[in-house]
Every structure is written in C-alpha cells, then in structure tokens.
C-alpha cells in the first residue's frame, strides 16, 4: 500500500506539483532536498521508489537518485549527474511504501 508520494519540480525554487502525505520540501543545495511527511510513520523502515530527470530528450545528462537520513518524519534525497556532481532536475517523482 502506498502511504506517500510526490511529484516535484526541481528547477529554480523546488515546488511540490502534487503529493500525498508530504508536508514540505526543503532545498538544501543543488540536487539535495529534505522531504517532510504530513503524518509520521511508525518506523523508518519504509520503502522509497523514485525517478528523476529532465524533460529535454536531447540532453545527455544521466542522473541517479539516492535516499538517505530516513527517519519516521522524513528523508533526504540526493540527485547526482553521474559526470558532474549534484544537480537540480526538471522532475523528481517518488512513492513511499510502509513496511509494517
């Protein structure tokens, strides 16, 4: 059962385009965001599946998505261009599944 999700525009000042159980996003630095839940989870043993990228089909940029600092109230995401370090991207989408 999905217990949270979001679609985030990561360009400029990041904004939540749509969400479920996500209260806020904080832009820590380029390509690094803190995600806070509206309702905390029972444990930090939830599952996050995600995708990020650019809308341009001509870009050769390839990104990876990493989830860290998982707590019952949120987590931090890192988006990294495999050749150029942490980067902001056009979209970040994730779904959260609680494993209890």
């Amino acid at each position: 059962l999905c217990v949270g999700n979001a679609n985030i525009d990561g360009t400029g000042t990041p904004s939540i385009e749509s969400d479920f159980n996500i209260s806020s996003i904080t832009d820590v630095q380029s390509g690094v965001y803190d995600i806070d839940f509206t309702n905390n989870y029972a444990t930090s043993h939830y599952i996050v599946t995600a995708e990020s990228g650019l809308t341009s089909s001509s870009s050769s940029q390839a990104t990876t998505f990493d989830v860290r600092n998982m707590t019952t109230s949120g987590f931090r995401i890192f988006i990294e261009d495999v050749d150029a370090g942490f980067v902001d991207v056009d979209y970040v989408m994730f779904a959260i599944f609680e494993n209890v």
Side-chain angles (χ1 to χ4, degrees), residues 45-78:
H45 299 176
Y46 47 84
I47 298 163
V48 179
T49 182
E51 183 59 56
S52 64
L54 304 170
T55 56
S56 169
S57 61
S58 62
S59 174
S60 62
Q61 186 177 39
T63 59
T64 63
F65 189 101
D66 192 16
V67 177
R68 301 181 193 174
N69 303 352
M70 294 171 65
T71 69
T72 58
S73 60
F75 58 91
R76 180 170 281 184
I77 56 177
F78 293 79

Side-chain angles (χ1 to χ4, degrees), residues 5-25:
N5 64 58
N7 181 354
I8 298 168
D9 179 347
T11 57
T13 301
S15 61
I16 299 173
E17 300 292 311
S18 62
D19 76 282
F20 167 60
N21 200 33
I22 304 300
S23 64
S24 66
I25 177 174

Side-chain angles (χ1 to χ4, degrees), residues 76-94:
R76 180 170 281 184
I77 56 177
F78 293 79
I79 301 163
E80 185 174 4
D81 178 324
V82 295
D83 297 320
F86 298 121
V87 296
D88 288 333
V89 292
D90 296 335
Y91 64 86
V92 178
M93 300 174 293
F94 58 85

